[in-house]
Amino acid sequence: MTTTDPSLAVVTGAAGGIGASLAVELRGRGYRTFLADVDAEALARVAARTGGTAVVTDVADPDAVEALAARAGAASLVCLNAGVLGADLGAPWEVGPEDWKRVFDVNVGGVVNGLRAFVPRLLAADRPAHILVTASLAGLTVFPGGGAYGPSKHAVVAVVAHAAMALAGTPVTISMVCPALVASGMSTDGVAPASVAAEALDAVDAGTFAVFPPEWRAAVIGQVEEIASGRVPTPPVPG
Ligand SMILES: NC(=O)c1ccc[n+]([C@@H]2O[C@H](COP(=O)([O-])OP(=O)(O)OC[C@H]3O[C@@H](n4cnc5c(N)ncnc54)[C@H](O)[C@@H]3O)[C@@H](O)[C@H]2O)c1
């Protein structure tokens, strides 16, 4: 791979929710897309609707993500969006080992596998390229409940922040979108995934590192202040 294609994008978790909305929004912005997901049937529907190329991929599998990058490594925009909520949503000790493993394998592994597969190709191309990661508000503050999900998203935020530091001075940039509740396969409540996708891509264009619901900013800072002051954190409440 010697160059990147400025109108080619990849989206993981593209079969529904935010990922499908990214596929729609990217098409509207003139991109051709490679769309990846484990749900082959739903992925085929989104690909047919948006003109994208479906590549059935389990993002938890490094070899599968490497194969995706081998086909789509010329993409200049890589959206690492796939994620799972997990089945056990209780306190840490109430979550079974299989759930801890699967949630971390998909949510953290999916991002790490994506970075490992795509970043060396993008750096070798030495052209402007961007990686957009779907993290979560749950990666910036701690909510009661949620099982392994919040801890996995904290790891995602740390990976993205570290990657941003490591990529400084290169033509490759990375950012993240940290939504609160989004109405999708993962939640019946929340904002429309289309608005999250549009806002995330606008932020990529604007060079914004993190898209974050402003009504949660004081609560996120307040919880960090509690911990930094040596106190037990209290559940965050939007302002
Ligand atoms: N829905 C919310 O409230 C919310 C809030 C903040 C962040 N997020 C994050 O947004 C991202 C997208 O989720 P969504 O809300 O659109 O939910 P969703 O369930 O509608 O979409 C997730 C997609 O990821 C796919 N997927 C799951 N495991 C996969 C794997 N191993 N490999 C490839 N694809 C896989 C699913 O098949 C599905 O199409 C996730 O990372 C999620 O954590 C969601």
Side-chain angles (χ1 to χ4, degrees):
M1 184 62 52
T2 54
T3 191
T4 50
D5 180 339
S7 62
L8 188 63
V10 175
V11 182
T12 70
I18 298 167
S21 291
L22 281 169
V24 171
E25 189 68 28
L26 284 166
R27 183 189 188 179
R29 296 178 187 220
Y31 281 87
R32 292 177 296 110
T33 53
F34 278 91
L35 306 177
D37 204 287
V38 275
D39 184 339
E41 283 184 19
L43 182 64
R45 284 195 295 274
V46 175
R49 188 155 52 93
T50 62
T53 302
V55 185
V56 177
T57 309
D58 180 351
V59 297
D61 176 356
D63 293 337
V65 180
E66 176 60 27
L68 172 67
R71 285 186 67 183
S76 62
L77 176 60
V78 180
C79 304
L80 302 176
N81 164 78
V84 291
L85 184 57
D88 302 333
L89 299 179
W93 60 90
E94 294 169 337
V95 178
E98 284 308 312
D99 216 46
W100 275 107
K101 180 166 167 31
R102 186 64 187 157
V103 170
F104 269 72
D105 281 355
V106 176
N107 292 2
V108 188
V111 172
V112 172
N113 293 335
L115 296 180
R116 293 190 72 252
F118 282 94
V119 169
R121 289 175 162 88
L122 298 176
L123 289 175
D126 200 26
R127 299 280 294 274
H130 189 79
I131 299 157
L132 171 66
V133 175
T134 308
S136 174
L137 176 64
L140 290 162
T141 188
V142 178
F143 291 93
Y149 183 78
S152 77
K153 289 295 182 177
H154 275 257
V156 168
V157 168
V159 167
V160 175
H162 185 187
M165 293 174 193
L167 288 167
T170 78
V172 182
T173 49
I174 186 168
S175 65
M176 61 183 176
V177 52
C178 302
L181 280 181
V182 183
S184 68
M186 212 175 269
S187 167
T188 50
D189 300 326
V191 300
S195 68
V196 175
E199 196 183 359
L201 294 175
D202 286 348
V204 170
D205 291 342
T208 306
F209 174 64
V211 181
F212 179 80
E215 68 273 21
W216 285 94
R217 185 165 290 127
V220 168
I221 293 168
Q223 198 182 66
V224 172
E225 280 176 350
E226 288 175 324
I227 294 170
S229 306
R231 301 198 300 279
V232 174
T234 54
V237 179

